[in-house]
Amino acid sequence: MSDKVRRYLLAYDVESDARRNRVAKTLESYGDRLQYSVFVVDAKPAKLIRLKAAVTDKLDVATDSLLVCDLGPLSGGDRIEFIGVARPFTGQGPLVI
Amino acid sequence: MSDKVRRYLLAYDVESDARRNRVAKTLESYGDRLQYSVFVVDAKPAKLIRLKAAVTDKLDVATDSLLVCDLGPLSGGDRIEFIGVARPFTGQGPLVI
């Protein structure tokens, strides 16, 4: 596995407010919040493994869901576009409105 | 712009319940729901343009947000992984739990 930084989009569906807040806090410590339940994280493999462990620890895997989407290397250009309210994030290309 | 099918991840933050339901219904007519506010859509450029217009029409762009993330060509392999509850979607690779 290459040790390069890749960009990930993460989104959760968490039933309980308490768990949801803990998951959100954890994800915010790793990256930027784009929407209420959607985050972007730039990570090398080791950081992603730590993030997944930290979040899984706070989920009820029987009812909750964490989606992890690999957007590829940072050099892959900007894959994220907003319509309406757009939250800036680290390493974002020019914001086109 | 190539006329090939690409995969898109879409997520929304919509303030009002009525608008949110209309946006969700619209997105479900174009693709699969992965989480409460996250969808995956496989589309050629023309379909994506129609989708964006149909959703923008139902948003209050001053308060609501639609995130559109280009995951690349379908041949790009599976970029989406779940921890916990996983909803199957069209064209998904083998589900690893």
Side-chain angles (χ1 to χ4, degrees):
Chain A
M1 193 188 291
S2 124
D3 197 27
K4 288 230 176 73
V5 176
R6 297 176 72 86
R7 173 154 291 172
Y8 298 89
L9 204 70
L10 298 106
Y12 58 66
D13 263 4
V14 176
E15 280 197 2
S16 103
D17 292 345
R19 285 202 305 273
R20 189 178 316 118
N21 293 334
R22 283 196 295 271
V23 167
K25 233 174 163 183
T26 303
L27 289 172
E28 279 188 311
S29 69
Y30 281 91
D32 295 310
R33 191 171 210 163
L34 300 184
Q35 289 182 341
Y36 181 71
S37 65
V38 178
F39 298 73
V40 60
V41 171
D42 296 340
K44 289 186 175 181
K47 177 179 173 184
L48 184 68
I49 290 165
R50 285 197 308 274
L51 178 156
K52 283 181 181 176
V55 172
T56 303
D57 200 36
K58 296 172 178 73
L59 292 179
D60 175 344
V61 291
T63 58
D64 302 339
S65 167
L66 176 72
L67 178 152
V68 181
C69 185
D70 180 349
L71 301 186
L74 291 195
S75 56
D78 233 353
R79 293 176 176 273
I80 299 173
E81 173 194 353
F82 289 97
I83 295 174
V85 174
R87 293 196 200 190
F89 56 90
T90 317
Q92 177 176 18
L95 191 63
V96 178
I97 295 177
Chain B
M1 192 186 292
S2 125
D3 197 27
K4 287 227 177 78
V5 176
R6 297 177 72 86
R7 173 153 291 171
Y8 298 90
L9 203 69
L10 299 106
Y12 58 66
D13 262 4
V14 176
E15 280 198 0
S16 100
D17 292 345
R19 285 202 306 271
R20 190 179 316 118
N21 293 335
R22 284 197 294 270
V23 167
K25 231 174 168 182
T26 303
L27 290 172
E28 279 188 309
S29 69
Y30 281 91
D32 295 312
R33 191 172 210 163
L34 300 185
Q35 289 183 341
Y36 183 70
S37 64
V38 178
F39 297 74
V40 59
V41 171
D42 297 339
K44 290 187 176 181
K47 177 179 172 183
L48 185 67
I49 290 167
R50 285 197 307 275
L51 179 155
K52 283 181 182 176
V55 172
T56 303
D57 200 37
K58 297 171 177 73
L59 292 178
D60 174 346
V61 291
T63 59
D64 303 339
S65 168
L66 177 73
L67 179 152
V68 181
C69 184
D70 180 350
L71 300 187
L74 290 195
S75 56
D78 234 353
R79 293 175 176 274
I80 299 172
E81 174 193 353
F82 289 96
I83 294 174
V85 174
R87 293 197 200 189
F89 56 91
T90 318
Q92 178 177 20
L95 192 62
V96 178
I97 296 176

